[in-house]
Amino acid sequence: MPASRSQSRKIPFKLICIIFVFLLIFGLVTLIVWLSSQPHRPRFYVQKLLIPTNSNSRITFEVIATNRNKHVGILYKYIEASVRYKDHVIGFARTHNSSFYQKPEERDILEGFMNSSNGSGELWNVKYRSGKGTVSVVLKFKSSIKYYRSSSWKSGSHKFHANCHVKVGAWDGLMLPGYKGKKCRVNMYLYA
């Protein structure tokens, strides 16, 4: 009798172990499929930034936006650009007022103009007096985006922020050559 009792205890234990291993394998496969289906964030690279030294001129910029996804397109509802020095906005523009669709594995050049505010003239005067030859600014992009995979799947709306930290010359307002092609930091948040 003792042999049959130990055998009857092993069967439920083995059954529980088999169910646990099956659930573990199923969970790992589900995680791998989910991670592989997640779209990549777009990447932004700064190509050109010119902040004129007088306060009534236009700030010009050029950025390359890259969609790294092989099968997923990105719909930008709008794109807002701004240039900031410390906490002061020295230029602002809405580069695309309407929707802008970026196909999978596509690179697009975003270029535009911003009217500089009075703060840019003050910025150059402060830097000129301090004797520093460069000015650190942040070129920011803000948008609301959706991901599209063919016509069968689309994501919810995401808040998109790209921050490009660059330095420009205090004398001419041109972006320093070492910052050309620099990757911008991208943050995304899901709308509630």
Side-chain angles (χ1 to χ4, degrees):
M1 279 280 209
S4 65
R5 230 188 236 175
S6 65
Q7 189 68 6
S8 66
R9 289 182 186 167
K10 288 182 181 179
I11 292 174
F13 180 73
K14 286 182 181 180
L15 186 62
I16 289 173
C17 286
I18 290 171
I19 292 172
F20 177 73
V21 168
F22 175 74
L23 288 175
L24 183 66
I25 291 172
F26 179 75
L28 284 174
V29 168
T30 303
L31 178 66
I32 290 169
V33 168
W34 180 76
L35 286 175
S36 65
S37 68
Q38 292 297 307
H40 298 290
R41 297 175 181 181
R43 287 190 177 168
F44 277 49
Y45 301 93
V46 180
Q47 294 300 307
K48 180 174 78 172
L49 178 63
L50 170 63
I51 303 174
T53 54
N54 56 356
S55 61
N56 294 328
S57 298
R58 300 172 100 185
I59 298 170
T60 60
F61 65 91
E62 182 178 305
V63 174
I64 293 179
T66 304
N67 180 3
R68 302 179 300 143
N69 298 297
K70 291 184 179 181
H71 306 290
V72 178
I74 300 173
L75 177 71
Y76 296 87
K77 292 185 178 176
Y78 61 87
I79 298 177
E80 293 178 351
S82 64
V83 176
R84 294 177 175 265
Y85 171 69
K86 295 187 178 176
D87 290 332
H88 298 56
V89 175
I90 59 173
F92 176 81
R94 195 166 184 138
T95 61
H96 285 84
N97 287 326
S98 60
S99 296
F100 163 63
Y101 180 74
Q102 189 174 32
K103 296 177 183 174
E105 296 186 320
E106 186 175 68
R107 295 172 59 121
D108 293 308
I109 296 175
L110 304 176
E111 54 188 356
F113 301 96
M114 298 180 218
N115 291 325
S116 60
S117 64
N118 292 336
S120 62
E122 295 169 14
L123 162 71
W124 302 122
N125 290 334
V126 168
K127 286 296 177 180
Y128 178 75
R129 285 189 210 126
S130 68
K132 294 185 179 178
T134 61
V135 179
S136 296
V137 296
V138 180
L139 178 61
K140 290 189 170 205
F141 293 93
K142 185 171 100 171
S143 182
S144 174
I145 67 172
K146 282 187 178 186
Y147 291 106
Y148 284 89
R149 182 184 305 233
S150 65
S151 62
S152 62
W153 176 82
K154 68 179 180 178
S155 72
S157 293
H158 298 268
K159 288 181 184 178
F160 169 81
H161 296 271
N163 297 324
C164 311
H165 295 268
V166 297
K167 288 189 178 184
V168 295
W171 305 110
D172 56 5
L174 287 171
M175 183 176 72
L176 299 180
Y179 288 89
K180 183 174 181 169
K182 183 180 178 195
K183 184 175 147 183
C184 304
R185 191 180 80 227
V186 173
N187 296 318
M188 291 182 52
Y189 311 97
L190 187 63
Y191 278 130

